[in-house]
Amino acid sequence: MTDDQLADLDGRARLDARPDADLDGVDGAVRTLSLEQKVRLLTGATAWRTYDEPAIGLRSIVVSDGPIGVRGQGWDERSTSLTLPSPSALAATWDEGLVTRLGELLAAEARRKGVDVLLAPTINLHRSALGGRHFECYAEDPLLTARIGAAYIRGVQSRGVAATAKHYVANDSETERLTLDARVDERTLREVYMPPFEAAVRAGVWVVMSAYNGVNGATMSENPLLDEPLKGEWGFDGMVVSDWGAVRSTVPAGRAAQDLAMPGPDGPWGDALLAAVRAGEVPEEAIDAKVGRLLRLAARVGALGTGEAPPPGPLAPANDAPTRALLRETVVASTVLARNERALLPLDPARLRRVALIGPSAAAPRIQGGGSAGVYPVSSVSPLEGLSDALAGRAEVVHAAGIHIPGRPTPLGVDAARDPLTGEPGLRVRLLSAAGEELHSERRYTGNVLETAIVEGAHTVEISARLRPPVGGVWDLAVAGWGHLRLDADGMTLIDDEVGRDTDDPATVHLHPPYRHAALELTECREVELVAWRRLDPGSGLASVLAADPPVRDAGELLAEAVELARASDVAILVVGTTEETESEGYDRVDLRLPGGQDELVRAVAAANPDTVVVVNAGGPVAMPWREEVPAVLISWFPGQEYGHGLAEVLLGAAEPGGRLPTTWADEALVGTTPVDGVLEYAEGLHIGHRGRLRGGEAPSYWFGHGLGYTTWAYESVVAPERVEPGRSFTVRVRLRNTGGRAGAELVQVYLSRPESEVERPVRWLAGFARAQAAPGASVEVAVEVQARALEHWSPARGAWEAEPGTFTVHAGASADDLPLATKTWSGDGPSA
């Protein structure tokens, strides 16, 4: 997308936004409000809006989930969004400039949808590979996370939309996420988990979200860490919003530095907080401080002063050629070539006649992770579509699933279902009163109805469709929701059950309600009318689902078909990956194995065709026990809507894969995610990810920072200053040569070590990185800046950062374990050794 197009999308809202608003008039506005008015502003008006206050020209502030797209207010598949690669993919680019451009694109999308605040980025760490929300975080390393997160924030906020640094802090797993207490020592907090948030504040972030979990005995919406270091030492002048439902008290959270409780209008503040202030339990000064920060945010996003909403942008997503090109560029830049024996990749299109594309994910990939970050893509290109387009007229691309991976039922969609009322593709959703009277009716495009219209008196949601089965046999029909469920097929009741709510986790209540199943014999192309009902009980959420899946083909037949296709093709490209049941918000992974027998499929295909490329479509690490049995492995993450086109460019050599691993990949996780008696001990301290692996034990599959290109490199020299003054950054210069036959790029990484240190340190730690580019045979020198903090450690005794004098080793190379160059530098005021 061009700058002019982005500017057009921003419209007047960009002009109204005031990034430097230091709050002319905010203090005065606070003073004009009554206590009742002030307290009212501190709880959301809805799940996605704050209250307005016409008396001071304040309109409501609209928020939306991110980070891969802007969904807008609520869940409606008719409101589509540009869909970016997942955050783990963005970090795999190690490219701050690219991420800033993507942030600008998201800001334009936000303005198009009338959104003021994007609830992203998630800058928690990949503490454990088992983390269910791994895909929504950037990296296992605090420096890489900090730099990519700050770039994202700068891009979003450059166009008048607020970014939200979340979830502060130590919110790194999903098991018991609402209640767990993370026990993290002070030094580890300061050196590992807080640096991304500190960097976000330095980047000028306007919103920080407090997490569900507790840290060292206090839940985060009440935690002193909101004061210090966030608002005090770091000088954060923005607003702290809670995670949805994370404010659980009136007085403790009211006295804390928690500013806004979401969602609304219900919650523990409101009238209860008003009463607490009047009773002297919460000082009114605390209320004034909260309101002042909310108004500061309003001023920055253009919601304070006129009280008028900005004009809407274009109604359709800007899914034009420049935008698609940017998203395709990101797919290429994030794809990691982990293995490439015999230089199998890139494939030569001129030598291909038949390509076997194998795996369910090849035709129906996961382009995004599961949970609150989800959007409805404006478009989606599968590997099958992308490769077929790229090889059209040159080679035949043939697909075989090879396997059936069990998972959640498939919601009905426009491909096989018709609206019983109009006959158009889709489904009919009605809201009914207790007496069965129709209160609302609309056509929807999916049976996964996460939200309906809010209609007073609605007692039941009804979803109906005419299913035209493409194949005959015993179908699995299913409905999901909380409360009373019923499903009829041509007037025959198949399901009639009461489903009691057994969780408070919003991701489960609102996105993943439980299913009830029924089997029914259907005839090919003979329509059956399905009608599902769910009673709308208080607290049962809005989600209702009508799903249908055809008979599953014989496993042996599927495998044999794939093996024969691989044997008869020039190359076999196998796409494997995780499912929403194994990798999603709301729960952690049990292990890192690929689900559904995909390992066996890889081995069978590789045995049939020695030229087998495995593409991993997952948000985080997976076990790859077969990795030495195949010549090429690509890691493509959850890559967004342009997946197929970007992957084809990489496979066929139109572009070089630019990704490097933002986290270590191994067959087993280094640490777990399950609390014991409600407590999750961060016992590994400073040694997470590659830092922990470097201390010994079995080597991982692929180290942090690893990634190959389509050329080769020789690292020739590294130069660092002989002496570094405490508190000063310094530059490391690395020279390397492109020893291959193709122009390419290399990510130069610089690490530090100090084994003789008097304080505990990692074996080595990332200190900086920069990209090198060179033509074949050419050498290039890159300058890698190392910040002063890389040489410092946190002293709990002094409550300050300290620089230990002495010699540090400076390492340079291509990953945490591939560092062919080293030199020394002395840090300190005294004489060098």
Side-chain angles (χ1 to χ4, degrees), residues 332-337 634 650 655-660 708-710 745 771:
V332 171
S334 63
T335 299
V336 177
L337 179 58
L634 283 167
V650 169
E656 182 181 49
R660 301 296 184 266
L708 307 172
Y710 288 155
R771 183 92 47 184

Side-chain angles (χ1 to χ4, degrees), residues 186 190 233 793-802:
E186 184 180 349
R190 285 287 193 153
E233 177 190 330
H793 65 277
W794 180 259
S795 169
R798 291 188 55 224
W801 291 95
E802 290 187 344

Side-chain angles (χ1 to χ4, degrees), residues 94 141 143-144 690 704 749-752 764-769:
W94 295 59
D141 183 81
L143 176 63
L144 178 57
H690 62 285
F704 172 79
Q749 300 162 48
V750 168
Y751 295 77
L752 298 178
R764 55 182 171 265
W765 60 96
L766 181 69
F769 54 89

Side-chain angles (χ1 to χ4, degrees), residues 204-487:
V205 72
W206 295 342
V207 182
V208 168
M209 180 184 289
S210 59
Y212 285 126
N213 58 281
V215 173
N216 296 330
T219 191
M220 280 309 305
S221 60
E222 305 168 11
N223 203 292
L225 294 172
L226 295 176
D227 266 321
E228 292 293 346
L230 179 62
K231 291 183 175 180
E233 177 190 330
W234 297 348
F236 174 60
D237 69 352
M239 186 192 74
V240 175
V241 64
S242 72
D243 205 339
W244 268 225
V247 172
R248 304 180 180 99
S249 68
T250 301
V251 173
R255 295 179 65 91
Q258 176 71 51
D259 299 319
L260 176 65
M262 290 294 285
D266 300 320
W269 283 1
D271 290 342
L273 182 56
L274 181 63
V277 176
R278 287 173 171 161
E281 298 173 305
V282 175
E284 188 167 354
E285 292 78 8
I287 303 299
D288 289 347
K290 299 176 195 298
V291 174
R293 287 175 178 270
L294 184 146
L295 295 184
R296 178 174 297 169
L297 172 64
R300 284 169 166 163
V301 300
L304 181 65
T306 66
E308 298 176 359
L315 296 179
N319 196 34
D320 53 16
T323 297
R324 294 193 301 273
L326 174 59
L327 299 183
R328 188 164 60 252
E329 176 188 348
T330 309
V331 174
V332 171
S334 63
T335 299
V336 177
L337 179 58
R339 178 176 170 86
N340 194 23
E341 297 301 301
R342 300 188 276 111
L344 177 60
L345 293 178
L347 303 172
D348 182 357
R351 303 183 65 179
L352 299 176
R353 294 295 177 268
R354 195 182 201 209
V355 175
L357 192 55
I358 298 171
S361 297
R366 291 189 74 190
I367 67 168
Q368 60 180 315
S372 63
V375 299
Y376 298 101
V378 64
S379 63
S380 178
V381 182
S382 70
L384 178 58
E385 293 167 321
L387 200 58
S388 296
D389 288 347
L391 290 174
R394 294 189 287 180
E396 179 187 23
V397 179
V398 184
H399 175 250
I403 198 171
H404 170 73
I405 304 175
R408 288 197 183 99
T410 306
L412 281 176
V414 296
D415 52 343
R418 292 193 300 125
D419 180 348
L421 181 63
T422 67
E424 298 173 282
L427 303 90
R428 175 62 43 177
V429 175
R430 299 198 303 157
L431 296 178
L432 309 177
S433 69
E437 300 168 326
E438 181 182 293
L439 303 178
H440 178 80
S441 177
E442 61 184 353
R443 181 168 70 99
R444 299 293 291 263
Y445 303 154
T446 174
N448 186 26
V449 183
L450 296 180
E451 288 185 354
T452 61
I454 304 298
V455 178
E456 185 177 353
H459 176 270
T460 302
V461 59
E462 176 192 274
I463 308 174
S464 59
R466 290 177 183 164
L467 169 63
R468 185 178 178 85
V471 297
V474 178
W475 280 63
D476 177 38
L477 306 179
V479 290
W482 306 98
H484 183 257
L485 297 177
R486 179 179 162 186
L487 173 64

Side-chain angles (χ1 to χ4, degrees), residues 108 115 276 544 592 676 716:
V115 168
S544 307
L592 300 182
V676 177
E716 297 180 338

Side-chain angles (χ1 to χ4, degrees), residues 703-707 715 747 749 751 764 812-819:
W703 285 93
F704 172 79
H706 172 72
Y715 281 78
L747 183 77
Q749 300 162 48
Y751 295 77
R764 55 182 171 265
S815 77
D817 194 54
D818 180 12
L819 300 166

